[in-house]
Amino acid sequence: MASPTLSFENPVLAAYAQYAGLVLLKMFAVVFITIYTRFSRGVFANPEDVKGIKKAVHRLDNPDVERVRRLHQNDLENIPAFLAVGLLYVLTGPSPGVALWHFRVFTAARYLHTGAYLAGVQPWRALSFFVGLVTTISMTVQVLMAGNL
């Protein structure tokens, strides 16, 4: 028999799953933005990628491609941490309202971060990054407090 905590009947787990799905979809969208940017600029990271593509070049210094690549790297550094900590947080049995706000704030922060990164807008990029980071740290602290160190 499944634990009620790990059931979609648990509103916290159901909300976590929905917001986890949203940030994963956002991260996958950045993959397609990277592909589009590489093809539209004709700039590829590997020499074999330019074969058969007219006017394509192998370069690692195109500013547009590098911006999107750094955005994707930032997602890869932050979203998996949220996914892992978020699931542990669900296991602590938090208040559904508080948990929902953690998930909403992180998701909104990552979407805003993506927009700000693509537009090159500060201080919004930094603010949205830090809001997401603080949200993940808040959940991490709560997980640690629920454990037995």
Side-chain angles (χ1 to χ4, degrees), residues 29-110:
V30 172
V31 170
F32 289 102
I33 293 168
T34 303
I35 292 167
Y36 170 78
T37 305
R38 284 193 181 282
F39 274 91
S40 67
R41 306 308 187 271
V43 177
F44 297 88
N46 301 302
E48 65 271 16
D49 295 342
V50 301
K51 292 180 181 173
I53 302 174
K54 292 181 181 180
K55 298 184 181 181
V57 294
H58 165 242
R59 284 180 53 190
L60 299 175
D61 62 349
N62 180 278
D64 297 330
V65 172
E66 285 304 300
R67 174 171 292 281
V68 176
R69 191 190 60 74
R70 288 189 308 270
L71 167 60
H72 191 201
Q73 183 63 39
N74 191 279
D75 277 352
L76 292 172
E77 293 167 357
N78 289 277
I79 291 174
F82 166 78
L83 296 174
V85 170
L87 184 57
L88 294 173
Y89 177 63
V90 168
L91 297 176
T92 68
S95 155
V98 173
L100 186 58
W101 276 107
H102 276 90
F103 305 152
R104 283 178 178 163
V105 168
F106 180 84
T107 301
R110 291 311 300 175

Side-chain angles (χ1 to χ4, degrees), residues 121-144:
V121 182
Q122 284 289 18
W124 302 112
R125 189 182 93 210
L127 288 172
S128 58
F129 167 79
F130 283 113
V131 166
L133 180 63
V134 167
T135 304
T136 304
I137 291 170
S138 171
M139 290 188 301
T140 303
V141 167
Q142 292 176 66
V143 167
L144 289 171

Side-chain angles (χ1 to χ4, degrees), residues 8-30:
F8 280 111
E9 292 175 14
N10 175 354
V12 176
L13 180 64
Y16 164 78
Q18 289 177 322
Y19 286 97
L22 287 172
V23 293
L24 285 169
L25 283 175
K26 188 216 73 66
M27 188 170 71
F28 297 146
V30 172

